[in-house]
Amino acid sequence: MSARAAVFDVDGTLADTTPLHTVCWWEALRQAGHQVPMVSVLGAIGLGSSDLLDHLLGKDRDRDEDASLSAAHKTLYATWFERLAPVQGAADLLRRLHADGWSVVLATSAEGSELEALRAAIDADDAIDATASSDDVEEGKPAPEPVEHALDLVGAKARDSVFVGDSVWDMRAARRAGVVPLGVLSGGVSRAELEKAGAEAVYADTAELLRELNDSAFGRA
């Protein structure tokens, strides 16, 4: 019997960081002379750096400044590491699923000290079986590879697994990978947008998903 994977996006889903990423990317772009509306930046959060810049500045942009833009974002965001906070119910949900026999996998582009800060904020390492980074695949979300990589890490089949995320990119990646997508509103994306992108169901946050777990896709698996 294959493992059942509960795959989680991190930023905006388990950690309350979407506003921070939005402001830090906005400021990094502003410092480089790019006036991008904050709401546009918010809509791009969840994409990897290259795809985010494609989305905001266009694919015909000067890519020579990509590295400096990404570095500026990372530097700004790092000032918040010690103050990162979890989304309500995140740790309890991960522990409940782990206790119920699910293999819990984080799917994130974070690495190094950023990933350490996120895991410290979530404070549920005892319930996390593996971490899949988008840096380990050729294409990030909304391509299916990050989700497929997460499943491979724990030997799970897509049909037996569930993905929880807060962005339209999460929902599209999960659908393309053949995994049931569940959306949460804690990243600032609307219910309508998540449902349009493929979410089977949408919850306010991980705390609400935990309360309704038995009636969710996790309860049917």
Side-chain angles (χ1 to χ4, degrees), residues 9-213:
D9 171 63
V10 178
D11 286 300
T13 302
L14 300 175
D16 188 16
T17 55
T18 299
L20 299 177
H21 276 299
T22 301
V23 171
C24 291
W25 271 115
W26 176 86
E27 176 62 12
L29 289 162
R30 188 198 66 80
Q31 291 177 2
H34 300 287
Q35 302 301 320
V36 180
M38 190 79 74
V39 68
S40 297
V41 180
L42 173 61
I45 300 302
L47 293 170
S49 296
S50 180
D51 290 331
L52 179 144
L53 293 172
D54 278 349
H55 187 76
L56 295 176
L57 302 180
K59 294 185 178 181
D60 58 347
R61 68 183 185 280
D62 178 7
R63 293 178 180 271
D64 290 342
E65 65 175 353
D66 281 14
S68 61
L69 286 169
S70 181
H73 163 262
K74 288 182 178 179
T75 298
L76 291 162
Y77 183 61
T79 65
W80 292 95
F81 281 177
E82 294 183 0
R83 291 168 284 176
L84 298 184
V87 170
Q88 185 178 15
D92 290 339
L93 176 59
L94 297 188
R95 290 194 174 98
R96 166 67 183 278
L97 290 170
H98 184 75
D100 287 351
W102 291 82
S103 294
V104 176
V105 187
L106 305 184
T108 177
S109 59
E111 59 182 354
S113 58
E114 180 182 346
L115 180 58
E116 290 177 8
L118 288 167
R119 293 183 70 142
I122 297 165
D123 192 24
D125 274 357
D126 54 299
I128 298 170
D129 295 286
T131 300
S133 172
S134 62
D135 293 335
D136 298 327
V137 296
E138 291 187 6
E139 291 187 90
K141 294 178 282 189
E145 283 88 343
V147 182
E148 293 167 345
H149 177 53
L151 300 181
D152 289 343
L153 288 176
V154 293
K157 299 293 187 183
R159 65 174 179 270
D160 302 320
S161 302
V162 179
F163 183 94
V164 182
D166 69 297
S167 73
V168 296
W169 321 113
D170 293 329
M171 300 302 100
R172 292 173 185 173
R175 279 293 178 194
R176 291 170 182 173
V179 176
V180 174
L182 299 181
V184 288
L185 300 174
S186 46
V189 179
S190 72
R191 182 181 301 273
E193 289 176 289
L194 292 172
E195 290 175 344
K196 183 177 180 181
E200 179 186 88
V202 179
Y203 303 86
D205 52 24
T206 45
E208 183 180 42
L209 176 53
L210 177 57
R211 290 193 298 271
E212 300 187 14
L213 196 63

